[in-house]
Amino acid sequence: MNEECRCFQEENLVPLPLGLWRSINSNPQRTAIDFCGRAFSYEDLGLWAATFKKIFAGLGGLGTPGDEIPRISLLLPNVPQFIFAYFGALLNRQIVSPVNYVPLASQLKTAKPKNIKIDEKLIKQFEQTRLSIVVVAEPFWPILEKVGLELFRDSVIIITSPADFLPKTKSVLYPLSALWNYGFVRIPKRGNVVRLRDLLQNDWRPSFGVFEEYAASPAALEDVSHLQYTGGTTGAPKGAMLTHENLVSNLWRCREYLGEIVEDGASMLAALPLCHSYGFTMAMTTLIGLKGKLVLLPKFSPKEACKLIEKHKIKLFPGSGKMFEAIRPLVGHYDLSSLTFCPTGAEKTPTELISSLRKQGVPVYEGYGQSETSPVISFCKPGADKIGSVGKPIPGTEIRIVDVESGEEKPAGEMGEIIVRGPQVMKGYYGNQKESAAKIKNGWLYTGDVGKIDEDGFLWFIDREDNSGKVAGEWVYGAPVREFLLKYWDIKNCVVFCVLDEKTGQSPAHAFILPGASFTKEGLAAHLRDLPNPYWRPKKVVIFDEPAFNQWFDPVLNKVNFKAAKKYYLENRDTLRSIYP
């Protein structure tokens, strides 16, 4: 154990339910969750977790310690039910598999249920996880229908509405809001479908005896508790098996690295989806590491985020570059002075944006991680910061840079593949030993990301290894080219990928762009004349409108799906018209 660690101690390394139990015992009346004005104390949180544990036990039986078959899936936005159900499942010794609904959320508003396009990756996730229980938000029911209800014939589906835990006045108005946003959602009567509010009519008699029973015979730290599916932007879906030790060690090491920057009891704005590993770990750091208040924001809105920061004196606001870009124009209109740390991740955040927000008093610091590492690997912080880098590794984490082809370690300043070793590294991919063996070698996780470590020990992320190519023997990466293109004032968004030209053997960059209203080809050509590296010059640039472009874009985490864009290009290259050169 790192001698400098004060928070990360052996006594804190306990399964997640016991970590929550300690927070409950030390601060039973402190607010744990605020949801649209309704407050839940730590005592409330514990009793609701106990209620969900009893519901799950009654519906799906008792999980087996060490069982690697996921039992419960959560298809929920940022609502209290996510937290209650998560801990209820763990108390019932079941494994939780959150579902990333973000790519489908916008379709639910604009398309009829029958026209929703479901990615095959999501179907495969449900097929692999073999669920006994699915907890789904009512507006997301069309997703299950489109996936195919036959896939859930052996599952119990629990339907819950955000209104189930809203303040009374807001719960009355919610149906009108839902009708406006999602239209009428018809849920057919089926024997395996039940509404949460009907289940809650039973007297479950929740008590903290559930926690005491768990404490008497807790799960082993090496038991899998969480199945985080990944690969949405990099290939086929894979379920990263995260153990109690992975998640708990990561949250406590994050807490340790933050030190006195964020004090115990601090409040956090949960604007990132809890179904994402980044949003989830930050939430667990708040509830278990900080014993603070988690303010849930079900749907990100820059104005609502600023209002909540001002109202609750939020200290910790984890977000994405897209979120911070959205709040930048509003900074001077709200009191955001309570913010002490705003980590940004998921996708590279422009250095200009970070600098601008810091000058306005919003302390944004960039970090780096992967779903396979629970997820945090490194981040910048006050006193240990270089804008443009993704910081230094958190305590207990080792990082090396190795040659992409030979595997030999690279010296400081040279680029290569980032490999990581630490207690947060996953157990492996669920049901996929081949991929697990390729990803983890001798305890080191091969991230598939390219980066470098400078002479001061700061990590610099460059791009995904599989979004690279060679031109005239020089490596070309999509991310720096994208960052340069986005500096052109009238490009709203773009995705860059490298494509092999079989005639020349070169793999130059190609770009799909979403132009602004005043975009011109001549302006783009002039901008590209200032490329810092001539080998970055795109071979082709294709324009798309917003609906078409958004099929490759995650608006919440500001992630572009370069693999899907590349696949689209390869399938349609003969019909796509390039505006450059």
Side-chain angles (χ1 to χ4, degrees), residues 96 98 226-230 238-242 275-277 280 371:
V96 183
H226 189 112
L227 200 69
Q228 186 71 47
Y229 267 79
T230 183
K238 299 180 288 289
M241 296 187 292
L242 304 179
C275 60
H276 280 275
S277 56
F280 175 80
S371 297

Side-chain angles (χ1 to χ4, degrees), residues 336-349:
L336 309 182
S337 61
S338 61
L339 291 171
T340 58
F341 188 64
C342 301
T344 176
E347 186 78 353
K348 198 84 177 95
T349 301

Side-chain angles (χ1 to χ4, degrees), residues 139-329:
F140 296 165
W141 172 259
I143 296 175
L144 292 189
E145 283 193 313
K146 195 68 176 180
V147 167
L149 294 179
E150 182 62 19
L151 194 58
F152 306 100
R153 63 185 181 277
D154 297 323
S155 307
V156 176
I157 301 174
I158 300 176
I159 307 293
T160 183
S161 165
D164 292 341
F165 289 92
L166 280 170
K168 187 170 292 186
T169 52
K170 291 182 178 179
S171 67
V172 172
L173 297 173
Y174 174 80
L176 292 175
S177 172
L179 187 64
W180 175 262
N181 285 307
Y182 299 103
F184 179 71
V185 177
R186 179 180 175 275
I187 300 175
K189 291 184 178 180
R190 296 173 62 93
N192 65 332
V193 177
V194 61
R195 288 188 177 273
L196 177 64
R197 57 175 169 262
D198 292 333
L199 289 171
L200 293 178
Q201 297 301 313
N202 299 326
D203 184 7
W204 295 101
R205 298 185 181 181
S207 74
F208 293 118
V210 167
F211 285 89
E212 292 167 355
E213 291 170 8
Y214 184 90
S217 180
L221 287 170
E222 63 269 20
D223 286 348
V224 176
S225 62
H226 189 112
L227 200 69
Q228 186 71 47
Y229 267 79
T230 183
T233 59
T234 57
K238 299 180 288 289
M241 296 187 292
L242 304 179
T243 66
H244 286 276
E245 183 175 13
N246 291 152
L247 294 165
V248 173
S249 64
N250 200 233
L251 78 86
W252 278 112
R253 289 179 190 276
C254 287
R255 175 69 193 97
E256 174 60 36
Y257 195 53
L258 285 172
E260 297 179 358
I261 297 167
V262 180
E263 71 275 11
D264 285 346
S267 55
M268 185 193 105
L269 179 63
L272 289 167
L274 296 174
C275 60
H276 280 275
S277 56
Y278 174 26
F280 175 80
T281 292
M282 289 295 98
M284 292 300 104
T285 299
T286 300
L287 294 173
I288 296 176
L290 292 170
K291 301 175 178 62
K293 177 169 65 174
L294 193 66
V295 179
L296 296 176
L297 183 57
K299 176 190 171 186
F300 179 73
S301 154
K303 286 186 178 180
E304 188 62 25
C306 289
K307 288 179 182 178
L308 291 173
I309 292 168
E310 183 177 74
K311 177 182 177 180
H312 293 277
K313 305 300 179 186
I314 297 291
K315 300 284 187 181
L316 186 62
F317 173 27
S320 66
K322 192 74 173 178
M323 289 179 174
F324 290 118
E325 181 65 61
I327 72 166
R328 174 158 52 172

